[in-house]
Amino acid sequence: GVRMLAEAAKHYSVPFVVISGMYKLSPVYPSGKDVFNDMASPSTIISFAELDKICKDNPHGVDVLNPSLDYIPPETVSLYLTNFGVHNPSYIYRLLAEYYNLTDYTFSSKYDEDLMLLKDIMDLPAVEAVAALDCFLESNPSFDINQSI
């Protein structure tokens, strides 16, 4: 994967340049950094016959990692070349702020906020919950609990 190249470049003090469209730079991780380290079958880089031969010669076995997506740590990047020009890593946060809206960072929507409010209402004592739910539904007549996101 590219991450190994980036870390090797940093180790040997070789500049590492990333060429990417801004849409590939994300202000947040959808499910954490590890979701980007998706592994593919090793068969695309070594055949099972070759691997079997290597394993027979090595009693401890061999691990073959073949990442299909990589998270590249920002500290390994020397320069970014994007569709908006060439930028130092320290400037990327400004580009992300211009390119993405605040709701892109939080992944929340009006529907999500309504669900959080409903959860709080359901935690109230029964009499208060009924009154608060009536008030909520009056102020949000189009709210549908079965809405798909």
Side-chain angles (χ1 to χ4, degrees):
V2 176
R3 181 179 182 153
M4 288 184 270
L5 292 174
E7 290 179 2
K10 181 179 180 181
H11 178 77
Y12 291 104
S13 301
V14 174
F16 186 76
V17 179
V18 170
I19 302 171
S20 172
M22 280 299 294
Y23 71 93
K24 287 191 175 186
L25 299 175
S26 174
V28 293
Y29 312 107
S31 298
K33 296 176 187 177
D34 292 332
V35 78
F36 289 109
N37 294 327
D38 187 29
M39 296 296 172
S41 170
S43 65
T44 58
I45 54 176
I46 188 168
S47 73
F48 287 113
E50 288 178 90
L51 190 57
D52 189 43
K53 182 182 175 199
I54 293 170
C55 288
K56 285 180 183 175
D57 296 338
N58 186 347
H60 300 292
V62 175
D63 290 329
V64 179
L65 301 178
N66 183 18
S68 58
L69 297 171
D70 269 346
Y71 167 75
I72 309 300
E75 60 272 6
T76 63
V77 178
S78 307
L79 203 60
Y80 287 93
L81 175 59
T82 72
N83 47 319
F84 295 125
V86 179
H87 310 285
N88 286 323
S90 62
Y91 188 69
I92 291 298
Y93 80 95
R94 300 255 336 211
L95 285 174
L96 290 172
E98 292 172 13
Y99 192 73
Y100 291 99
N101 190 316
L102 184 58
T103 56
D104 295 328
Y105 287 83
T106 60
F107 294 117
S108 71
S109 65
K110 171 80 168 98
Y111 182 71
D112 294 332
E113 292 168 10
D114 288 344
L115 287 178
M116 294 301 293
L117 183 58
L118 280 176
K119 181 186 174 300
D120 291 341
I121 289 172
M122 299 314 285
D123 289 338
L124 295 172
V127 174
E128 292 177 37
V130 170
L133 190 55
D134 286 340
C135 181
F136 172 81
L137 292 173
E138 281 180 26
S139 61
N140 296 293
S142 63
F143 180 77
D144 178 12
I145 192 73
N146 297 314
Q147 171 184 342
S148 61
I149 300 175

